[in-house]
Amino acid sequence: MRLAIFNDYRLGVVDAAGQRLTDVTAELGGRWEPEAFGAGWWLRLCRDFDELRPQIEAACDRGEVLELETVVLRAPVLNPGKVVATAMNYADHVDEMRDTVLQRVAGRVDPALLDFDVFLKATSSIVGPGSHVVLPAIALREQKEVHHEGELGVVIGRAGIDIREEDALGHVLGYVIGLDMVLRGHGDRSRRKSYDTFTPLGPWLTTADEIGDPKGLDIHLSVGGATRQRANTDQMIVSVPGIIAHASSIMRLEPGDVILTGAPPGVGEVNAGDTVDVTISKLGTLEVHVTADDAARQRALDEINARGGVGPGAPSGRA
Ligand code: MN
């Protein structure tokens, strides 16, 4: 099943062709909350999905059907407690960082940055499909590179601490396409990857039963139609179950948490005006637009403000 969050944070089920969506919000009854801010309905849906699934499936026969092109798809997660990201999980990416990228963007290679690791990204950096990724002022002022990292994303359904690798996939609700945008340079990853709009997710969440073992998925990222990243999840150094086991040995994984599983090789710079497309087998395509334009920036921040309960139009006060 493909779960989408659309328009005013309603719940939809996308058809197999990726053309239409059925509005199943009514099936959630009192569980659904109209205000996105602090809404627990999505996290409860992640937790209780197995129980709610038959009801949602049945609703696909009676809910309102909408053409996808007539709705605004939001990020297919809402108020996750955390975004866990994975560093250095494809050998060819480790090589490119060591051999070229780190020298260029940081002037040196810190060996600690070449180890497999997990870290956190601010959840406020999440945006949906079709959104703008806003280049931070510092990137423009100091001519720092902002890079794309197109990655497989995992959404947790069942909570766990110290999850065993062999049990890990049982904790997964589903998968999304993720873009782990990053300002290259010195300093902490969490800061450089948490700029507002730096975590596009989409286009919808495909439940785990449609994927099975998340090996063998092709990942393709292009900028302006030109291929940058092309890889297969088979090439991960630490597989999805291994990442879940490792992350949950550090922090409790909770319903709705998002895990980004690491950048395939081919990371590179994006500039204002670029369109970035990421396609992953069975998950669809996520497209975003890179901007440094004031009006586009304000629209992107309006979206983040609205989800955060501030309301559209709150000035960013940011130059
Ligand atoms: Mn990454």
Side-chain angles (χ1 to χ4, degrees), residues 9-80:
Y9 302 92
R10 299 179 70 80
L11 181 68
V13 175
V14 177
D15 69 1
Q19 298 289 316
R20 294 186 183 84
L21 162 158
T22 306
D23 185 340
V24 296
T25 313
E27 296 310 310
L28 297 174
R31 290 170 177 266
W32 187 75
E33 300 154 59
E35 192 184 14
F37 178 54
W41 70 266
W42 170 256
L43 301 183
R44 288 193 295 275
L45 177 72
C46 291
R47 184 192 63 187
D48 303 336
F49 183 71
D50 287 346
E51 181 193 324
L52 288 168
R53 182 178 185 131
Q55 205 173 319
I56 294 172
E57 269 170 354
C60 288
D61 297 331
R62 55 177 181 266
E64 185 186 6
V65 178
L66 301 161
E67 297 291 325
L68 268 188
E69 60 186 25
T70 67
V71 308
V72 178
L73 288 178
R74 308 295 183 183
V77 304
L78 197 50
N79 298 319

Side-chain angles (χ1 to χ4, degrees), residues 104-154:
R104 187 177 75 239
V105 301
R108 61 183 157 84
V109 179
D110 176 355
L113 284 181
L114 296 173
D115 293 339
F116 172 86
D117 211 343
V118 293
F119 58 94
L120 296 174
K121 298 191 76 169
T123 58
S124 42
S125 64
I126 294 171
V127 291
S131 294
H132 282 95
V133 167
V134 180
L135 296 176
I138 189 174
L140 304 168
R141 199 168 58 231
E142 300 184 11
Q143 296 179 335
K144 290 182 182 296
E145 296 180 25
V146 171
H147 280 204
H148 56 74
E149 298 186 350
E151 308 187 7
L152 174 67
V154 177

Side-chain angles (χ1 to χ4, degrees), residues 60-225:
C60 288
D61 297 331
R62 55 177 181 266
E64 185 186 6
V65 178
L66 301 161
E67 297 291 325
L68 268 188
E69 60 186 25
T70 67
V71 308
V72 178
L73 288 178
R74 308 295 183 183
V77 304
L78 197 50
N79 298 319
K82 53 188 169 293
V83 176
V84 181
T86 305
M88 300 299 163
N89 202 22
Y90 288 82
D92 289 347
H93 174 59
V94 178
D95 290 347
E96 73 183 347
M97 292 302 283
R98 184 190 56 231
D99 297 343
T100 60
V101 178
L102 284 174
Q103 196 59 246
R104 187 177 75 239
V105 301
R108 61 183 157 84
V109 179
D110 176 355
L113 284 181
L114 296 173
D115 293 339
F116 172 86
D117 211 343
V118 293
F119 58 94
L120 296 174
K121 298 191 76 169
T123 58
S124 42
S125 64
I126 294 171
V127 291
S131 294
H132 282 95
V133 167
V134 180
L135 296 176
I138 189 174
L140 304 168
R141 199 168 58 231
E142 300 184 11
Q143 296 179 335
K144 290 182 182 296
E145 296 180 25
V146 171
H147 280 204
H148 56 74
E149 298 186 350
E151 308 187 7
L152 174 67
V154 177
V155 178
I156 294 295
R158 195 153 58 87
I161 292 172
D162 291 334
I163 297 167
R164 293 186 307 175
E165 209 167 310
E166 57 267 38
D167 300 330
L169 295 182
H171 289 259
V172 175
L173 169 65
Y175 299 91
V176 299
I177 300 172
L179 258 169
D180 177 21
M181 302 301 298
V182 52
L183 178 80
R184 295 289 184 208
H186 292 289
D188 188 82
R189 280 192 180 100
S190 289
R191 168 179 59 78
R192 293 186 292 103
K193 291 171 173 260
S194 286
Y195 286 93
D196 291 328
T197 72
F198 267 28
T199 309
L201 299 174
W204 43 71
L205 182 154
T206 302
T207 52
D209 55 291
E210 295 202 12
I211 304 299
D213 189 330
K215 282 181 174 170
L217 302 178
D218 288 320
I219 301 179
H220 178 253
L221 180 145
S222 63
V223 177

